Amino acid sequence: MMKKVQSFPPNRPRSPILTIVAMALALMGGAVLAVDDSGSRTHATGQFDAATNTYTVAAGDDLTTIGRRFGTSVADLKALNALTGDRIIIGQSLTVSEGAAAAPARSDKPQADANADADPLPSWNDGPAKQAIVAFVHTVTDPSNPGYVSELDRIATFDNDGTLWVEHPMYTQLAFALDRIKALAPQHPEWQTTQPFKAVLDNDLDALGAAGKKGLIELVMASHAGMTTSEFEAIVTDWMDKARHPRFDRPYTSLTYQPMQELLAYLRANGFKTFIVSGGGVEFMRPMTEQVYGIPPEQVVGSTIETQYEVQDGKPVLMREAKIDFIDDKTGKPVGINKFIGRRPIAAFGNSAGDREMLEWTAAGDGPRLMMLVFHDDADREYAYGPADGLEDTPFGTFPQDLMDEAKEKGWQVISMKDDWKQVFASNE
Amino acid sequence: MMKKVQSFPPNRPRSPILTIVAMALALMGGAVLAVDDSGSRTHATGQFDAATNTYTVAAGDDLTTIGRRFGTSVADLKALNALTGDRIIIGQSLTVSEGAAAAPARSDKPQADANADADPLPSWNDGPAKQAIVAFVHTVTDPSNPGYVSELDRIATFDNDGTLWVEHPMYTQLAFALDRIKALAPQHPEWQTTQPFKAVLDNDLDALGAAGKKGLIELVMASHAGMTTSEFEAIVTDWMDKARHPRFDRPYTSLTYQPMQELLAYLRANGFKTFIVSGGGVEFMRPMTEQVYGIPPEQVVGSTIETQYEVQDGKPVLMREAKIDFIDDKTGKPVGINKFIGRRPIAAFGNSAGDREMLEWTAAGDGPRLMMLVFHDDADREYAYGPADGLEDTPFGTFPQDLMDEAKEKGWQVISMKDDWKQVFASNE
């Protein structure tokens, strides 16, 4: 049904029904992984020497579990120990950022400027995008510059899907939802004969398309609601550990963009507070953002479903209800920024029509502003889709021509993945 | 109609209608201030010497405008300059926390421990409440203690009204709403003959009571909705500057509790991230929390009304709609914590039945926990109300007997304002 994963879908269907068909197509082509509920991630258990601030790697450790123990992101651990990949060996000594009590680490604070002369954006080719970033940061951090911005107002917001990590052949959260339906099917024998679930289980494209938007919402609710928030977090964490991207055969959390990781770190080193503002579900993202991006849960804005406080067996829980609370997309992004962050960003980064209003809202403030859009024009290393500039159309991360025109007219920077990035993914393992 | 402001209301009415009557009573007794829309606060405009990191006070400056310029809280400015009050003089040199670019200040990060031996809680009498705080902080910050908590998980949440600042004779936000109705009345001649507005303008208690809950919501919406978020922020900021508390004749922002300010600073100095979680409107609080508490807008969780993204004259705005989005009170507090913060606090501070579920939710996590309730039992220095322990009942910050019983049963610390606090308010000017 599909020739190459990276060229999916062949011709972008426009109607909602056909969008769902496209989503289903993605499902049929993707490597679907059942969720195994046994086990969950733990903290690293090896020896920590407070005198030397080093941790000795033990069996079963990885950078994620070590980072979790010491409250440090994988990116920071790698930077501290000059690691180029994620591989560590038992017995290896690692410096962890958490040291003496007088100088505790927090990934979201400025870091010591030990490598002031080093290029903070080594994965960016020298070009207008990189130059715009560096010039903007110099302007807002120089107290003698009229464009100087107080550190408290250095707020930068990032879309997630397609801006910080891969979103093709389908949104990662949709892959999760479909996997989850398959994993739950044994407990729901009625799904064998009830649409839209039967369609997912049968990989039946026509039936899934016929279920329409209502059917898609039913699928999302069945996979995302009806459990406590703690249970959902465990399910998501387990899936993130085990699921693999169908083309790259790597965990989704390893398919973040290295240039954007460097940008996040560069901004934070210059006193910015970095936020994710995504259409994705906030509780789908939060279990991984600290470790993967160095962004703590409270700096993640996203779509929410309603939760209900209940006391079960004497213990309070929050039940996830099958009801949408807030959609953080398009005009919802400025609304979400105002609701969750409470002030206007001075820099915003996106990649699709869903980010247009966030960039407009950011641009409308006074003083220096930086608005950038990642354009996926690199089918060899990642994907190429638009439909802007004649690239293939897609329902996932659509970048329409009028957004490209608006960016050019308003001076927003468009980042060409092909031309501006030396390296795409954060890790090559 | 009222004998003493601090003993309001004489006998707490129980029905919703009578609660509104009580609110109206407060209005009649309070010094109602019309809002003047002319002018708004500015940043300080004096000289800053980057070499010595000092600012020279200019005419018209106060600590708030200086703090705003340098992104520093009033509390931090006072600490940096060893000021005991808010008074500064023209020509005075002040150290501002924002210094060299390599070490920028952020009020929410740990501060250099210059006074390690000083008592971090000097306004607290030595007693079980203070001892519980110090013991808890020692436990969670000592890496050799089994109760050690990674810095990233050191989340502390504070109710605002009655926990961080005064809430009698009525919630500050209600005083704002009623003042706002009076200020808007000239533009709404129909209010002279339409309830519930006529009741407010006439100080007509019976009519206001008869308008019921629906009438109260109409008042809140008329005073809080129908403008852009930027306009609302300007209105609130202006009101906060000019309004005076009816008993203490001081700005509401100067009526924060000094012991709680010290507690906020002590927790932050020990790696905690501090949040406000209040039933109050989030956009009513955010304009002042950074300056008054050192808590940035994104760490303020509260009730919200819906906003709508619109483009007016080519400029995007967020319009405040006359529709409740979320009530951050009672069971809404754990819901709001989960939605906005995304992880469970290890310490929570409140003062009323509205905080019960927040404390239960905090207590239900694993590891060391600290749950505390401020009990207003000090009519001489502030107010005394319950109805717990036989104190007067009140519709504002009700502390019922069953909450007192639950606190005792579960080991939550009850802070006696009278016995535990040497000083109540943060400033004596």
Side-chain angles (χ1 to χ4, degrees):
Chain A
M1 197 168 287
M2 285 168 45
K3 291 190 211 84
K4 294 186 300 177
V5 172
Q6 66 268 37
S7 63
F8 164 82
N11 293 292
R12 191 209 164 199
R14 276 287 181 191
S15 78
I17 294 298
L18 289 180
T19 297
I20 291 160
V21 171
M23 291 174 173
L25 261 172
L27 164 67
M28 311 309 162
V32 177
L33 183 93
V35 173
D36 174 0
D37 278 329
S38 67
S40 67
R41 284 187 186 178
T42 56
H43 289 62
T45 54
Q47 290 295 315
F48 170 62
D49 181 347
T52 60
N53 197 27
T54 55
Y55 172 77
T56 304
V57 176
D61 286 352
D62 58 30
L63 289 175
T64 301
T65 56
I66 295 169
R68 188 168 295 147
R69 170 159 167 190
F70 295 99
T72 306
S73 73
V74 169
D76 286 348
L77 279 176
K78 287 166 73 170
L80 274 169
N81 294 280
L83 302 176
T84 53
D86 289 343
R87 189 158 302 166
I88 50 175
I89 57 173
I90 296 173
Q92 185 173 356
S93 280
L94 294 177
T95 301
V96 293
S97 60
E98 185 163 87
R106 169 157 277 170
S107 57
D108 192 55
K109 70 169 187 189
Q111 290 154 18
D113 204 357
N115 301 307
D117 295 334
D119 180 356
L121 302 170
S123 297
W124 292 73
N125 287 314
D126 195 29
K130 180 174 182 172
Q131 288 160 12
I133 294 167
V134 172
F136 173 76
V137 169
H138 285 174
T139 297
V140 302
T141 57
D142 174 4
S144 69
N145 192 304
Y148 176 75
V149 175
S150 158
E151 195 182 330
L152 286 164
D153 291 321
R154 291 183 209 154
I155 301 291
T157 55
F158 291 79
D159 171 60
N160 186 34
D161 297 310
T163 300
L164 295 179
W165 75 351
V166 68
E167 66 181 348
H168 270 213
M170 68 175 123
Y171 296 131
T172 303
Q173 192 169 1
L174 180 61
F176 165 77
L178 298 179
D179 279 2
R180 186 79 193 139
I181 295 294
K182 298 202 169 194
L184 288 173
Q187 300 158 47
H188 293 271
E190 75 280 11
W191 287 356
Q192 301 294 336
T193 54
T194 313
Q195 294 298 7
F197 305 99
K198 183 175 187 308
V200 175
L201 303 179
D202 295 348
N203 292 348
D204 181 345
L205 183 60
D206 293 336
L208 193 55
K213 190 177 175 190
K214 180 170 166 292
L216 186 64
I217 289 174
E218 278 184 76
L219 291 178
V220 170
M221 289 307 170
S223 53
H224 285 67
M227 72 286 279
T228 69
T229 51
S230 300
E231 288 163 352
F232 186 69
E233 180 179 346
I235 290 165
V236 169
T237 301
D238 186 62
W239 185 86
M240 287 281 185
D241 275 348
K242 293 174 180 158
R244 294 293 177 274
H245 187 276
R247 172 175 168 192
F248 298 108
D249 193 28
R250 286 161 52 177
Y252 289 93
T253 49
S254 82
L255 295 170
T256 66
Y257 305 130
Q258 176 63 18
M260 299 305 284
Q261 291 276 16
E262 291 167 5
L263 176 56
L264 285 168
Y266 178 51
L267 292 175
R268 288 196 291 259
N270 281 282
F272 279 76
K273 209 163 179 176
T274 53
F275 290 81
I276 288 175
V277 177
S278 167
V282 72
E283 294 194 81
F284 181 74
M285 296 182 282
R286 281 177 172 161
M288 64 87 183
T289 56
E290 175 72 49
Q291 304 304 324
V292 172
Y293 302 125
I295 296 178
E298 63 272 18
Q299 287 166 220
V300 180
V301 178
S303 299
T304 53
I305 67 174
E306 294 202 356
T307 63
Q308 180 81 34
Y309 182 84
E310 292 177 10
V311 178
Q312 295 181 354
D313 300 328
K315 195 176 165 77
V317 297
L318 290 171
M319 286 301 297
R320 292 172 58 84
E321 307 285 306
K323 192 173 169 196
I324 299 280
D325 173 53
F326 175 62
I327 300 287
D328 188 53
D329 199 33
K330 298 190 168 69
T331 60
K333 289 206 176 191
V335 169
I337 287 169
N338 183 65
K339 186 196 302 207
F340 287 81
I341 305 176
R343 46 188 162 165
R344 196 190 300 259
I346 65 169
F349 305 87
N351 76 300
S352 79
D355 303 310
R356 187 196 307 263
E357 288 83 0
M358 175 168 76
L359 269 62
E360 289 173 350
W361 177 246
T362 301
D366 296 328
R369 302 280 144 170
L370 181 65
M371 284 67 61
M372 302 188 90
L373 290 165
V374 176
F375 187 49
H376 295 254
D377 57 0
D378 193 337
D380 288 340
R381 296 187 299 176
E382 203 240 15
Y383 296 97
Y385 49 92
D389 287 3
L391 296 187
E392 220 161 30
D393 205 347
T394 169
F396 304 112
T398 312
F399 194 133
Q401 187 60 44
D402 67 352
L403 180 63
M404 184 66 81
D405 297 341
E406 182 175 355
K408 285 184 180 152
E409 182 199 326
K410 295 183 173 173
W412 300 350
Q413 289 288 331
V414 176
I415 300 163
S416 161
M417 185 174 278
K418 186 157 57 108
D419 297 334
D420 285 316
W421 288 0
K422 278 185 198 151
Q423 177 184 338
V424 173
F425 292 121
S427 148
N428 288 312
E429 62 163 354
Chain B
M1 199 167 287
M2 286 167 42
K3 291 189 211 85
K4 292 187 299 176
V5 172
Q6 65 268 39
S7 63
F8 165 81
N11 293 293
R12 190 209 163 198
R14 276 287 181 191
S15 78
I17 294 298
L18 288 179
T19 297
I20 292 162
V21 171
M23 291 174 173
L25 260 172
L27 165 67
M28 311 307 162
V32 176
L33 182 93
V35 173
D36 175 359
D37 277 330
S38 66
S40 67
R41 283 188 187 179
T42 57
H43 290 62
T45 55
Q47 291 295 314
F48 170 62
D49 181 347
T52 59
N53 196 27
T54 54
Y55 172 79
T56 305
V57 176
D61 287 351
D62 58 30
L63 289 175
T64 301
T65 58
I66 296 170
R68 188 169 295 149
R69 169 159 169 191
F70 295 98
T72 306
S73 73
V74 170
D76 286 348
L77 280 175
K78 289 167 72 171
L80 274 168
N81 294 281
L83 303 175
T84 52
D86 289 341
R87 187 158 302 166
I88 51 176
I89 58 173
I90 296 174
Q92 184 173 357
S93 281
L94 293 177
T95 301
V96 293
S97 60
E98 186 163 86
R106 169 157 275 168
S107 59
D108 192 55
K109 70 171 188 188
Q111 291 155 18
D113 204 357
N115 302 306
D117 295 334
D119 179 357
L121 302 171
S123 296
W124 292 74
N125 288 315
D126 195 30
K130 179 173 183 172
Q131 287 160 12
I133 294 167
V134 173
F136 173 75
V137 169
H138 285 175
T139 296
V140 301
T141 56
D142 174 4
S144 69
N145 192 304
Y148 177 75
V149 175
S150 158
E151 195 183 329
L152 286 164
D153 292 320
R154 290 184 208 153
I155 302 291
T157 55
F158 290 79
D159 171 60
N160 187 34
D161 297 310
T163 299
L164 295 179
W165 76 350
V166 69
E167 66 182 347
H168 270 213
M170 68 176 123
Y171 296 132
T172 303
Q173 192 168 2
L174 180 61
F176 165 76
L178 298 178
D179 279 2
R180 185 79 193 140
I181 294 294
K182 297 200 168 191
L184 288 172
Q187 299 157 47
H188 293 271
E190 75 279 11
W191 287 356
Q192 301 294 335
T193 54
T194 314
Q195 295 297 8
F197 306 99
K198 183 175 189 306
V200 175
L201 302 178
D202 296 348
N203 292 348
D204 181 345
L205 183 60
D206 292 336
L208 193 55
K213 190 177 175 190
K214 180 171 167 292
L216 186 64
I217 289 174
E218 279 183 77
L219 291 178
V220 171
M221 289 306 169
S223 53
H224 284 68
M227 71 286 278
T228 69
T229 51
S230 299
E231 288 163 352
F232 186 69
E233 181 178 345
I235 291 165
V236 169
T237 301
D238 186 63
W239 185 86
M240 286 281 185
D241 274 349
K242 294 172 179 160
R244 294 293 178 273
H245 186 277
R247 173 176 167 191
F248 299 108
D249 193 28
R250 286 161 52 177
Y252 288 94
T253 49
S254 82
L255 295 170
T256 65
Y257 305 130
Q258 175 65 18
M260 299 306 283
Q261 292 275 15
E262 292 167 6
L263 176 55
L264 285 168
Y266 177 51
L267 291 175
R268 288 197 290 260
N270 282 281
F272 280 76
K273 210 162 178 177
T274 52
F275 291 80
I276 288 175
V277 176
S278 167
V282 73
E283 295 193 81
F284 181 74
M285 296 183 281
R286 282 178 171 161
M288 64 88 182
T289 57
E290 175 73 50
Q291 304 304 323
V292 173
Y293 302 125
I295 295 179
E298 64 272 18
Q299 288 166 220
V300 179
V301 179
S303 299
T304 53
I305 69 174
E306 294 202 356
T307 65
Q308 180 82 34
Y309 181 85
E310 291 177 11
V311 178
Q312 294 180 356
D313 301 327
K315 196 177 164 76
V317 297
L318 291 170
M319 287 300 297
R320 292 171 59 84
E321 307 285 307
K323 191 173 170 197
I324 299 279
D325 174 54
F326 174 63
I327 301 286
D328 188 53
D329 199 34
K330 297 192 168 69
T331 60
K333 289 208 175 189
V335 169
I337 287 169
N338 183 65
K339 186 195 303 207
F340 287 80
I341 306 176
R343 44 189 164 164
R344 195 190 301 258
I346 64 170
F349 305 87
N351 78 298
S352 78
D355 303 310
R356 186 195 309 261
E357 287 82 1
M358 174 167 76
L359 269 61
E360 289 174 350
W361 177 246
T362 301
D366 296 328
R369 303 280 142 170
L370 181 64
M371 283 69 60
M372 302 188 90
L373 291 165
V374 175
F375 187 50
H376 295 255
D377 56 359
D378 193 337
D380 289 340
R381 294 187 300 176
E382 203 237 17
Y383 296 97
Y385 48 93
D389 287 4
L391 296 187
E392 219 161 31
D393 206 346
T394 170
F396 304 113
T398 312
F399 195 132
Q401 188 61 44
D402 66 352
L403 180 64
M404 185 66 83
D405 296 342
E406 182 176 354
K408 284 185 180 153
E409 181 199 326
K410 295 183 172 173
W412 300 350
Q413 288 288 331
V414 176
I415 299 163
S416 161
M417 186 174 277
K418 186 160 55 115
D419 297 335
D420 286 315
W421 289 359
K422 278 185 196 149
Q423 178 184 338
V424 173
F425 293 121
S427 149
N428 290 312
E429 63 165 352

